[in-house]
Amino acid sequence: MSNNASSPSANLSPPPSEPPIDKTFYTWTTLFKAMLGTATQSEIKSYNDAYDTLHIESQCRRCESNRDWLFAYSPIIRFLRKECDALGGYIGPENVRCRNCTGKQRGGFDPQYGILLCANTEMKRGRLEETMAHEMVHAYDSLRWKFDGGDVRHAACTEIRASMLSGECRFMRQFWGEGNYRFVKAFQTCVRNRAALSVLKRPQVKSRAEADKVVNSVWESCFNDTRPFDEIYK
């Protein structure tokens, strides 16, 4: 699932109502401690949780505004929407929902729920476009192959394709955004790593070595399958 934490069988139920927040951690003191590196992990988590709770409405509004813009003007999002429609599915604002998420996930896909966008982690339109494209590749694959969500080989294949086709592993994104300065096979390394991290989140996969083995078992066929694109888009 990589940092996107997405899979066709993800549990994407709407989050439960938030408990009353402890504003003790939402202070300038805690912020400065975090900037200086003296805050504990517990303090940082409490600060971030309080921030997200206090700003949930504005974060979701910004996410929804960017989502609607991408549906209207992004070539890759418009194309993937059209391809999902051609397979008898529907991906639109009604089932692409902005929510605040816990953990480090950026989004998720479920055949029944639709697409989840994590409003508290996706603030820039370019990043949101990558996440939407990633999840829409999952939607396309689910419609095209009727993937078995419990089959880790199916999961590995769609994760390879989503990381490959969404643009999240393109060289300049890795160079400037992730600090990955390798020139040789950097793209393939990124796709493999993201797919393995996603597979590792499956309960039946017990180790990174096992996740890598699953990814390697489907790599050749899935990495070379760029449908619905003629070639890698980004």
Side-chain angles (χ1 to χ4, degrees):
M1 197 180 294
S2 82
N3 286 337
N4 287 4
S6 54
S7 68
S9 61
N11 179 10
L12 298 179
S13 300
S17 58
E18 296 284 349
I21 65 171
D22 180 359
K23 295 185 180 181
T24 303
F25 294 98
Y26 191 62
T27 63
W28 285 108
T29 301
T30 307
L31 176 61
F32 283 127
K33 286 176 68 177
M35 294 172 63
L36 294 171
T38 60
T40 66
Q41 289 300 312
S42 176
E43 287 175 325
I44 293 173
K45 182 180 185 304
S46 296
Y47 178 89
N48 289 335
D49 288 347
Y51 181 94
D52 288 342
T53 301
L54 290 168
H55 294 81
I56 183 171
E57 291 186 3
S58 61
Q59 288 173 336
C60 286
R61 283 197 302 269
R62 179 171 180 176
C63 173
E64 289 166 354
S65 175
N66 284 332
R67 173 203 64 192
D68 293 346
W69 189 95
L70 291 168
F71 270 123
Y73 300 111
S74 166
I76 188 172
I77 299 303
R78 288 163 57 92
F79 176 76
L80 285 169
R81 183 180 188 178
K82 179 181 177 182
E83 291 299 314
C84 287
D85 286 345
L87 293 175
Y90 173 78
I91 296 292
E94 295 82 3
N95 62 357
V96 178
R97 300 173 174 89
C98 294
R99 299 286 188 271
N100 272 25
C101 305
T102 58
K104 296 181 179 180
Q105 71 187 99
R106 290 167 53 192
F109 167 72
D110 181 271
Q112 302 303 316
Y113 178 90
I115 289 175
L116 167 72
L117 300 176
C118 294
N120 52 324
T121 59
E122 292 302 328
M123 300 304 292
K124 293 183 178 179
R125 186 178 290 164
R127 278 293 189 95
L128 191 69
E129 181 183 48
E130 292 172 0
T131 299
M132 284 180 63
H134 183 113
E135 306 307 337
M136 291 176 79
V137 171
H138 287 324
Y140 174 87
D141 287 352
S142 179
L143 291 164
R144 176 181 162 209
W145 286 300
K146 309 300 180 185
F147 270 172
D148 178 359
D151 189 322
V152 292
R153 286 168 56 87
H154 287 185
C157 187
T158 192
E159 292 297 345
I160 289 169
R161 286 173 35 76
S163 291
M164 172 180 68
L165 298 172
S166 64
E168 63 193 20
C169 280
R170 67 186 184 275
F171 174 73
M172 293 309 295
R173 169 77 172 82
Q174 289 297 299
F175 188 90
W176 295 111
E178 305 294 339
N180 181 0
Y181 306 121
R182 291 178 297 182
F183 287 88
V184 180
K185 295 188 176 180
F187 180 77
Q188 292 91 328
T189 299
C190 172
V191 173
R192 281 183 184 274
N193 183 59
R194 287 177 178 268
L197 288 174
S198 294
V199 171
L200 184 57
K201 296 181 185 295
R202 299 282 173 145
Q204 62 268 53
V205 179
K206 305 303 181 183
S207 68
R208 174 60 190 260
E210 185 179 347
D212 287 335
K213 184 177 179 180
V214 174
V215 170
N216 290 337
S217 72
V218 298
W219 176 261
E220 196 67 28
S221 60
C222 299
F223 184 76
N224 289 309
D225 184 359
T226 62
R227 290 174 288 182
F229 301 95
D230 293 330
E231 57 185 5
I232 295 174
Y233 176 73
K234 289 187 176 184

